[in-house]
């Protein structure tokens, strides 16, 4: 392990030591378990999860054996919580964690056109309005009343017409009894070899905030927490294995053959050849830099030095997933691209413990 990094981005579940002494966590929208692994690395006891996707839930259970597992729409979980049907442990959590599906706020795709519309996930689950899932998550927090609420979402939530959603998130968290704060963080500053910008909300329950309040102005009182991360960047040369699937021919190979040093994606070659800026979805990995953002779409990362896609081993390193993670035959690109990188959540949850939970 590089001594300049608090957590290793290359690791195995078999060798990890999870102390489980920092508090109890329940994870919503758990996907394959990226955030769960982060909490475990930081020393938390993740006692359960909620996930709507049967395939992702199967992967989660295989790797984490949760004490409490809820394969259902989060709205069903809220109803169970309100009726008192959930185990007593869930009403005494240290952290309620969640990464509500965020495609409606992503800077890629249809964005604003999708707001307010019901959408089916690609696996065919029940239709949901994705941009209201954050508020269903807050509704769960209001009932369970954990000490801290942590939520992660895409950078697009802070941009343009999405700002009213941010204001509503703040308003509903405050109404639920929490002091909300948010930070835009980049995984490349936190010990993973990936430039991945995400918004993290960390919210302390109001009745626990008294000892931490610092008056910053006459109108602004917030609990003190440090979210500055300045770990040195990790170049991809540390782990590239060049074993990915070859780009053997066709338009993508033509674009790769016409790449130039400094191109960040296939789009630049496409513009030079056709005068059109398309193919943004295939970004280049340079050996001397952290990787571009990994998405859930296989093939979004191409090696600049060799006409191959990122391999499964490279994807695990880029995402800080353990190399022995059991994907149960599912595509690592999808699970890793949809998940919070474990080391990012380990860093955030460590600060939450150091600055708040350890002092309550």
């Amino acid at each position: 392990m590089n001594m300049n990094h608090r957590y290793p981005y290359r690791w195995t579940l078999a060798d990890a030591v999870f102390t489980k002494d920092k508090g109890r966590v329940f994870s919503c929208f758990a996907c394959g378990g990226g955030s769960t692994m982060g909490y475990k690395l930081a020393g938390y006891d993740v006692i359960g999860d909620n996930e709507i996707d049967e395939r992702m839930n199967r992967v989660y259970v295989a790797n984490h054996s949760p004490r409490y597992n809820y394969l259902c729409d989060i709205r069903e979980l809220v109803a169970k919580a309100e009726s008192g049907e959930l185990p007593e442990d869930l009403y005494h959590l240290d952290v309620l964690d969640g990464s509500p599906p965020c495609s409606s706020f992503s800077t890629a795709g249809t964005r604003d056109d999708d707001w307010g519309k019901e959408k089916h996930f690609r696996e065919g689950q029940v239709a949901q309005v994705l941009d209201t899932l954050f508020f269903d998550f807050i509704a769960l927090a209001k009932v369970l009343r954990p000490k801290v609420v942590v939520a992660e979402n895409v950078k697009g939530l802070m941009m343009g017409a999405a700002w009213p959603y941010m204001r509503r998130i703040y308003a509903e968290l405050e109404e639920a009894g929490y002091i909300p704060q948010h930070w835009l963080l980049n995984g490349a500053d936190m010990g993973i070899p990936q430039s991945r910008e995400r918004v993290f909300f960390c919210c302390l329950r109001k009745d626990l905030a008294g000892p931490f309040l610092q008056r910053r102005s006459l109108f602004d009182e917030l609990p003190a927490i440090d979210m500055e991360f300045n770990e040195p960047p990790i170049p991809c040369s540390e782990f590239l294995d060049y074993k990915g699937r070859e780009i053997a021919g066709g338009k993508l190979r033509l674009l790769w053959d016409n790449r130039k040093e400094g191109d960040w994606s296939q789009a630049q070659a496409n513009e030079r050849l056709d005068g059109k800026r398309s193919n943004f979805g295939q970004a280049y990995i340079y050996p001397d830099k952290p990787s571009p953002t990994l998405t859930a779409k296989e093939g979004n990362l191409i090696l600049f030095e060799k006409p191959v896609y990122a391999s499964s081993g490279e994807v695990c390193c880029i995402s800080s997933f353990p190399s022995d993670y059991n994907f149960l035959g599912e595509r690592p690109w999808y699970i890793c691209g949809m998940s919070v990188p474990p080391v990012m959540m380990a860093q955030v949850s460590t600060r939450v413990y150091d600055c708040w939970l350890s002092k309550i």
Side-chain angles (χ1 to χ4, degrees):
M1 175 181 173
N2 187 325
M3 297 305 294
N4 292 316
H5 297 286
R6 181 157 191 169
Y7 295 103
Y9 71 91
R10 281 191 287 187
W11 61 291
T12 64
L13 286 170
D15 294 332
V17 177
F18 302 132
T19 60
K20 299 185 178 182
D21 59 351
K22 299 299 190 296
R24 289 182 294 187
V25 179
F26 185 87
S27 183
C28 300
F29 314 104
C31 194
S35 63
T36 287
M37 285 182 286
Y39 284 105
K40 287 183 172 182
L41 285 170
Y44 289 84
D45 182 11
V46 183
I47 63 174
D49 76 297
N50 164 236
E51 172 56 46
I52 195 173
D53 181 345
E54 184 176 357
R55 290 163 58 186
M56 295 302 102
N57 188 69
R58 189 164 59 247
V59 172
Y60 186 98
V61 171
N63 286 278
H64 299 290
S65 302
R67 200 176 316 163
Y68 308 110
N69 174 244
Y70 295 92
L71 175 62
C72 65
D73 188 315
I74 192 171
R75 292 170 292 188
E76 295 178 31
L77 194 62
V78 173
K80 289 179 182 291
E82 290 174 338
S83 63
E85 296 179 46
L86 298 182
E88 189 67 19
D89 283 349
L90 301 190
Y91 296 91
H92 300 282
L93 294 168
D94 292 284
V95 178
L96 179 67
D97 165 76
S99 297
C102 51
S103 62
S104 293
F105 302 114
S106 175
T107 54
T110 51
R111 191 170 155 82
D112 304 36
D113 293 340
D114 288 341
W115 291 350
K117 297 180 181 178
E118 283 197 339
K119 295 175 68 176
H120 283 276
F121 286 76
R122 69 183 186 92
E123 291 81 7
Q125 300 96 324
V126 64
Q128 296 177 301
V129 180
L130 299 190
D131 42 300
T132 65
L133 291 178
F134 209 126
F135 307 117
D136 297 323
F137 173 67
I138 296 172
L140 182 63
K142 187 175 182 178
V143 180
L144 297 183
R145 299 195 75 244
K147 294 175 183 175
V148 174
V149 174
V150 176
E152 175 264 0
N153 219 287
V154 294
K155 177 183 178 180
L157 191 62
M158 301 173 58
M159 299 172 64
W163 267 111
Y165 284 93
M166 283 287 284
R167 288 194 290 269
R168 182 181 167 191
I169 288 169
Y170 263 65
E172 295 205 12
L173 281 165
E174 289 175 356
E175 195 276 332
Y178 291 86
I179 300 176
Q181 298 181 66
H182 75 276
W183 294 263
L184 179 63
L185 303 177
N186 191 330
D189 302 324
M190 303 169 72
I192 68 168
Q194 180 186 172
S195 179
R196 188 180 187 91
E197 290 186 301
R198 288 296 185 268
V199 181
F200 284 84
F201 295 82
C202 296
C203 316
L204 184 63
R205 211 171 70 203
K206 289 180 180 179
D207 62 306
L208 301 174
F212 307 103
L213 291 179
Q214 293 183 341
R215 186 173 293 276
R216 299 180 181 183
S217 73
L218 291 175
F219 308 101
D220 184 18
E221 289 187 343
L222 294 172
I225 190 167
D226 175 18
M227 284 292 180
E228 288 291 326
F229 299 95
N230 296 294
E231 298 202 4
I234 300 170
C236 291
S237 58
E238 285 193 7
F239 58 84
L240 289 179
D241 59 29
Y242 303 95
K243 294 180 180 179
R245 180 167 56 89
E246 181 182 3
I247 305 171
K251 180 64 177 290
L252 292 183
R253 178 55 184 264
L254 176 65
L255 295 177
W256 188 88
D257 288 338
N258 283 272
R259 75 202 185 287
K260 290 184 178 180
E261 185 75 28
D263 287 354
W264 62 270
S265 75
Q266 298 266 60
Q268 286 71 47
N270 198 92
E271 185 173 28
R272 287 192 293 269
L273 292 174
D274 299 337
K276 298 178 182 179
R277 299 205 73 186
S278 58
N279 295 95
F280 290 99
Q282 292 83 40
Y284 287 130
I285 293 177
Y286 283 85
D288 59 340
K289 300 175 182 178
S291 168
T293 301
L294 175 73
T295 71
K297 183 179 179 181
E298 183 175 357
N300 94 286
L301 295 179
I302 297 174
L303 274 59
F304 187 82
E305 290 187 312
K306 185 177 180 180
V308 296
Y309 296 108
S311 69
S312 57
E314 291 163 348
V315 164
C316 284
C317 287
I318 288 167
S319 304
S320 70
F321 260 62
S323 60
D324 58 349
Y325 203 65
N326 185 357
F327 292 98
L328 294 183
E330 301 291 340
R331 295 182 298 115
W333 297 266
Y334 181 76
I335 292 178
C336 293
M338 290 285 287
S339 299
V340 182
V343 166
M344 285 188 77
M345 188 54 80
Q347 294 277 28
V348 169
S349 61
T350 293
R351 296 296 175 87
V352 167
Y353 179 79
D354 290 345
C355 296
W356 289 350
L357 291 175
S358 66
K359 300 175 182 177
I360 293 174

